Amino acid sequence: MKWITGFLDTPSRVAEPFWEAITGAGLSPRRGPGGEFATLLPDDGDAYLRVQVVGDGPPRSHLDLHVEDVPAQARRVSALGATVVLDDGELVVLRSPAGLVFCLVPWHGEQVRPAGGRSLVDQMCLDLPHAVFDAEADFWSAVTGFERRPGSLPEFDFLVRPDGMPLRLLLQRVGGDEAGMHLDLACDDRPAEVARHVELGATVVRSEPRWTTLRDPAGRVYCITDRPVGRG
């Protein structure tokens, strides 16, 4: 994988101003037949967050994996257990063995991770039911080529990202039967960052010793963590 992009999929544009404010990014011109796609453009470095208006389902997140040869990587990833959902010739939409949707897209030379400020979106957490955790964690390690390691708490593993990669992949053991994804932010002052998000329209779901779970204005869950910006 040459680059990773996090996508915010939402039935409407209601949460886009919130994520612009949170990240300090500008919104690119819209793309797609209905103007459904746009990129959050950081002040420095290469873009790695995008928004998409989707017509159905709850607000959610997904990953785009940027590669040099999409057809070859689609064949490789399919051999690892993924299922092709859509192949439009330029990008391929797939589903992981646990049901997580992701895309393989062309790499266009992105390589500079934004530095961030008081906080930084720097992690995609894959929420995996206990029954499929190990198989799915090994799948994502094989897909990305990133080494899997145990986290600081027993419910977490993570994949070691290369220097400069904008998003780390965290793997979380969860109850239930359905896998999902959510974004995490690193920050140096969690209470102050949570207060900023609430002022901008977020709602606190719960607070843990090391992170706070919130919902954005569209109802999408994400977390603010105590990890220092630029590390992890």
Side-chain angles (χ1 to χ4, degrees):
M1 301 301 110
K2 295 293 188 178
W3 194 250
I4 297 178
T5 291
F7 250 99
L8 297 163
D9 304 322
T10 317
S12 71
R13 298 176 181 174
V14 64
E16 291 179 4
F18 173 82
W19 286 100
E20 286 183 73
I22 289 304
T23 61
L27 199 66
S28 75
R30 296 186 182 277
R31 307 180 300 279
E36 62 266 35
F37 299 103
T39 301
L40 291 168
L41 302 173
D43 289 336
D44 65 294
D46 291 317
Y48 68 101
L49 296 172
R50 295 178 183 174
V51 295
Q52 177 180 200
V53 176
V54 294
D56 60 349
R60 55 190 180 266
S61 301
H62 82 263
L63 289 170
D64 275 9
L65 307 180
H66 299 239
V67 300
E68 291 183 288
D69 187 334
V70 171
Q73 289 299 321
R75 291 191 294 271
R76 183 182 72 87
V77 172
S78 295
L80 292 170
T83 303
V84 174
V85 176
L86 173 68
D87 183 347
D88 77 352
E90 181 178 4
L91 66 86
V92 178
V93 182
L94 302 104
R95 195 180 304 274
S96 77
L100 295 176
V101 173
F102 64 102
C103 300
L104 296 176
V105 300
W107 178 56
H108 295 299
E110 299 94 340
Q111 59 184 337
V112 180
R113 176 187 178 190
R118 71 178 74 182
S119 66
L120 181 68
V121 178
D122 72 339
Q123 187 165 262
M124 183 72 84
C125 183
L126 280 56
D127 303 310
L128 307 175
H130 289 273
V132 300
F133 183 88
D134 283 318
E136 187 76 359
D138 287 341
F139 168 81
W140 284 98
S141 179
V143 167
T144 60
F146 301 166
E147 179 187 358
R148 176 185 169 189
R149 291 184 184 174
S152 59
L153 295 173
E155 63 264 39
F156 295 109
D157 284 6
F158 68 94
L159 303 185
V160 181
R161 62 179 172 184
D163 290 342
M165 191 65 68
L167 290 175
R168 185 176 79 154
L169 300 187
L170 181 69
L171 313 166
Q172 181 178 17
R173 295 169 175 86
V174 298
D177 300 319
E178 187 173 349
M181 296 187 188
H182 71 265
L183 287 171
D184 290 342
L185 291 86
C187 71
D188 295 321
D189 186 340
R190 180 160 49 113
E193 187 66 9
V194 168
R196 183 172 78 97
H197 285 230
V198 170
E199 184 177 354
L200 289 168
T203 303
V204 173
V205 176
R206 63 182 176 274
S207 187
E208 304 287 347
R210 300 187 189 182
W211 68 86
T212 300
T213 302
L214 304 97
R215 292 187 187 275
D216 74 6
R220 180 185 6 255
V221 171
Y222 68 100
C223 294
I224 298 174
T225 76
D226 286 328
R227 294 172 299 109
V229 174
R231 298 183 186 177

